[in-house]
Amino acid sequence: MDGTKEMGGLRNVSSVCSISEMDDFDLSRLLNKPKLNIERQRSFDERSLSELSIGLARGLDTYETTYSPGGRSGFGTPASSTRNSFEPHPMVADAWEALRRSTVYFRGQPVGTIAAYDHASEEVLNYDQVFVRDFVPSALAFLMNGEPDIVKHFLLKTLYLQGWEKRVDRFKLGDGVMPASFKVLHDPIRKTDSLVADFGESAIGRVAPVDSGFWWIILLRAYTKSTGDLSLAETPECQKGMRLILTLCLSEGFDTFPTLLCADGCSMIDRRMGIYGYPIEIQALFFMALRSASSMLKHDEEGKEFIERIVKRLHALSYHMRSYFWLDFQQLNDIYRYKTEEYSHTAVNKFNVIPDSIPDWVFDFMPTRGGYFIGNVSPARMDFRWFALGNCIAILSSLATHEQAMAIMDLIEARWEELVGEMPLKIAYPAIESHEWRIVTGCDPKNTRWSYHNGGSWPVLLWLLTAACIKTGRPQIARKAIDLAETRLLKDSWPEYYDGKIGRYIGKQARKYQTWSIAGYLVAKMMLEDPSHLGMISLEEDRQMKPMLKRSSSWTC
């Protein structure tokens, strides 16, 4: 096909194999799909899966093929439709005002949102910069509200920054590394704007972000899904950008596992927290980015090679994660009875985990029905902590099988007080304390028990919880969490995080007007009003990646 032509009002761009072919993105069919009509007088608890168009594997239509135009976002937002929206909460208008106030411009174009707009804080640090991971919920909010330009400009600017030479001291980083953040410098005298990027050389701990590249690919797919504009992802620049990121994470080496080896502080948990090795957050994002990239790479000579490598890695990664990272009552009982020092291919305890290393809290925390992906697995070490982002992304990317996704939601319901408490959502559970805290965190005063990354509660995770709830047909859980957030967030001036075992106190060093706390709330509200928005951030299960055969009691009871 040469040139471009109009198809259902959307641009179809020439390529050997377009995104639409790869992703079953049948635009003409989806544009004719009737809008979801949610009746005001009925609660989410009363609606069935079919009424919510949950679109699990058994459904007729799936979120994976949902075109989610940004024309209606809801809850009193600028692009909302009074006919289809719920009564707006007073927080919504304030949230949109705060989100727009955080917008950063480069040469007159919006290119992102700063991390926090806290004038009361004495130290600015890097909260006045645009972070790749922080901007994702802001981007989703703008996409759902029919404002894609800021997302497009952000994607292109970070892609431009990826091309910079990156050095920390005298060491050169890989070409595919995306910045952790960037800042726009305005020169009022010369009337010029310039960009300054941080690839980890200025970060606390000097750690390069592993997750930035993955979030960039995921957001590129979200933009494509939301707008129906295939042209951006199919540009030579975006194709090259994806290939550079994939080159970094698909390189072969000494590792015998398909998971990605990572340093502490390389993700949202950007302080030392004992997540070095193979943290669940990075593995889930890695999986989701691989699947997203495979749907957007062209089938030219270079693209085909990467797609083949992706398919092989996905098969191995899904098997590894579903087999060795998954924990439920039956699996915990099996590990408790492990034999050690097993040799050869017949070994059951393949990582030589010593049963005595299982922490006592796990036995009380694990319900008879439910399960989750644990924090880390490596030789002689299993980190049994719960990490929210990794488990939510596992559901959204379909790294979790349908049964595992339901089990994760069962666990959240069964352990609501521990994982949600008075403010959604615990980033990690439980907190590290006493001597272990000194060793693992290096006595980090910001990561004391039940604070910040060490068991703190982060409102931004509300959007991920809501998305997982909708996908698994549990919108009532999301509604309950949002109701909790609405009792405090505005009154507390949108804090970055909350402290305490149940998230009762504003974080001791939390910034106010934290942008992703604001955007996360808006995205959660908009997705509940119009669940079809989930299509831009959710992937259905790949039937070719067969789930493991072993079944546990939590899946059948």
Side-chain angles (χ1 to χ4, degrees), residues 503-545:
R504 177 171 291 177
Y505 305 99
I506 298 174
K508 57 187 174 184
Q509 294 187 44
R511 291 299 195 278
K512 299 292 185 70
Y513 289 95
Q514 185 78 17
T515 304
W516 67 358
S517 296
I518 296 163
Y521 166 73
L522 287 172
V523 172
K525 294 282 279 189
M526 287 188 274
M527 277 196 293
L528 263 189
E529 188 210 25
D530 185 356
S532 71
H533 284 314
L534 186 66
M536 70 176 75
I537 200 68
S538 176
L539 290 153
E540 287 307 308
E541 188 168 2
D542 186 341
R543 306 299 173 84
Q544 294 180 347
M545 286 186 287

Side-chain angles (χ1 to χ4, degrees), residues 98-115:
L99 183 61
R100 297 197 188 286
R101 191 167 60 235
S102 70
T103 302
V104 173
Y105 292 85
F106 178 78
R107 296 173 184 172
Q109 293 181 330
V111 292
T113 51
I114 61 172

